[in-house]
């Protein structure tokens, strides 16, 4: 099998890249290890930055998002049973975010990919990228029990944190920057309308809590839990009671309860692999970097990477110049590090480390007081949350 761009992974990065390349008249083949149902139901991100919304619309993938997504003009911070709203448009000159689940973004892009004639191969697991530093890279993969080879001009490693692409970069070339956190997020999905019309980020002495949503009738809620916690350790009743404690306010706000349909634990990690390019292999999205979800940046970073890559490949096709491909890694990493910084700062601002001292608790509260009393500090948060410029 032969194509111009071999794309490994049909997450948001791989699917959007395929769509953008199609728009530029560049052919590609997408290989995805899992089946279609798995990819379309995997619960993950839900906040789209303004820039991501604009890209999806321009790619012709925004129709259902515009109908069913929820535009949010702010978030609420809670600490000491107080509430403070951060008003995005007022602080950023009109920017907002969109609540539209990653599952839906993937569903829309998969439908478009099949409508335009594919190729998108499910249950096609890439085994290795070979010859990344040559003019003829290849992806070895297994599909329907048979091994095959995809010959390409370029390979896009969009296969997430646990994929195989990154392993094709020799150890002597790679540099990894990493931090793990001594806690994770216990997330539930519940069939109940959200108890607030915007996301609520709560700092509490017992740990962080987040009230979020997937739709007007489905709530997504999270609790900070110790690293290594298993979802079964928490009964539904325990989860609701703890959410009530951490999200509680001094006024008459109450948390609506409903049937829990999913429960899972997400570990927290910051990770950057440099460079994001080796020869003709380009890493994009979680294959190259991970952020803790507190800043809602993971999916948006993946979108930024593939916009940059698609533009560089289109430039190569039109002009024959490698200039933008050569700049790919540095261009992406500038934005990646801003998102890493913001995600780390939001995590440190709102979570309680198991070994936190009374001094650190006071500093955390002082930072929150600063954000709620200084327009400059609040603007910094609002600008980062609504997104850094793409590309
Ligand atoms: C549990 C969880 C919760 C999250 N919550 C949030 C959130 O609230 N907000 C936020 O912004 N971000 C969140 N994220 C991060 C966000 O979901 C990711 O940043 C985003 O999915 C990155 O997209 P991607 O396409 O780079 O990678 P992925 O979505 O991981 O897609 C990679 C794809 O590659 C496939 N693949 C892997 N290996 C191979 C192989 N060898 N061959 C072929 N295919 C392969 C995988 O099956 C997968 O479909 C969360 C992540 C997780 C894991």
């Amino acid at each position: 099998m032969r194509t111009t761009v071999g794309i490994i992974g049909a997450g948001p990065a791989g699917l959007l890249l395929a769509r953008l390349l199609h728009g530029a008249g560049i052919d590609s083949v997408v290989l995805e290890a899992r089946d279609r149902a798995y990819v379309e139901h995997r619960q993950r991100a839900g906040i789209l930055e303004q820039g991501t919304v604009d890209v999806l619309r321009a790619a012709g993938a925004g129709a259902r998002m515009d109908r069913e997504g929820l535009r949010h003009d702010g978030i609420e911070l809670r600490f000491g049973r107080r509430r403070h709203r951060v008003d995005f448009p007022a602080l950023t000159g009109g920017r907002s975010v969109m609540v539209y689940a990653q599952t839906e973004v993937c569903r829309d892009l998969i439908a478009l990919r099949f409508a335009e004639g594919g190729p998108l191969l499910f249950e096609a697991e890439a085994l290795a990228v070979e010859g990344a530093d040559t003019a003829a890279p290849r992806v070895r993969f297994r599909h329907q029990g048979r091994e095959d080879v995809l010959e390409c001009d370029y390979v896009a490693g969009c296969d997430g944190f646990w994929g195989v692409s990154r392993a094709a970069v020799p150890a002597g070339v790679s540099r990894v920057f990493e931090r793990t956190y001594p806690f994770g997020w216990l997330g539930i999905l519940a069939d109940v309308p959200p108890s607030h019309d915007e996301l609520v980020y709560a700092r509490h002495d017992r740990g962080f809590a987040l009230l979020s949503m997937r739709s007007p009738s489905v709530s997504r809620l999270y609790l900070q839990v110790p690293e290594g916690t298993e979802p079964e350790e928490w009964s539904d009743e325990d989860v609701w009671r703890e959410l009530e404690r951490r999200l509680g306010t001094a006024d008459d706000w109450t948390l609506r309860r409903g049937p829990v349909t999913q429960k899972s634990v997400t570990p927290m990690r910051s990770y950057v692999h440099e460079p994001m390019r080796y020869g003709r292999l380009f890493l994009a999205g979680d294959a190259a970097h991970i952020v803790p979800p507190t800043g809602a940046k993971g999916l948006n970073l993946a979108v930024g990477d593939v916009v940059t890559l698609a533009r560089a490949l289109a430039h190569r096709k039109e002009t024959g110049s490698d200039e933008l491909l050569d700049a790919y890694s540095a261009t992406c990493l500038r934005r990646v590090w801003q998102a890493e910084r913001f995600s780390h700062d939001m995590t440190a601002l709102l979570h309680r480390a198991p070994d936190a001292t009374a001094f650190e608790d006071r500093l955390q509260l002082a930072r929150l007081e600063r954000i709620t009393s200084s327009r400059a500090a609040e603007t910094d948060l609002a600008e980062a949350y609504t997104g850094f410029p793409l590309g």
Side-chain angles (χ1 to χ4, degrees), residues 280-337:
R280 287 178 171 242
L281 166 66
F282 295 82
L283 301 176
D286 279 16
H289 41 71
I290 295 281
V291 283
T294 329
K297 291 283 168 242
L299 166 62
N300 295 293
L301 278 183
V303 168
D305 291 350
V306 297
V307 166
T308 306
L309 182 54
R311 195 180 294 150
L313 288 165
H315 184 71
R316 172 76 171 82
K317 177 175 180 246
E318 282 156 24
T319 67
S321 162
D322 282 333
E323 181 194 3
L324 295 187
L325 287 172
D326 290 343
Y328 170 77
S329 181
T331 304
C332 292
L333 285 169
R334 270 197 296 278
R335 191 164 172 272
V336 166
W337 276 110

Side-chain angles (χ1 to χ4, degrees), residues 8-14 31-34 39 42-47 102 124-126 158-164 185 214 222 266 284-287 293 296-300 302:
I8 309 177
L31 303 175
E32 166 57 49
R34 311 301 296 250
V39 172
R42 188 171 36 193
Q43 283 299 326
R44 288 190 168 179
I47 304 289
Q102 177 169 329
E125 184 191 2
C158 303
D159 47 351
F161 188 66
W162 304 105
V164 294
W185 279 14
R214 285 293 179 256
Y222 297 96
T266 308
D286 279 16
K297 291 283 168 242
L299 166 62
N300 295 293

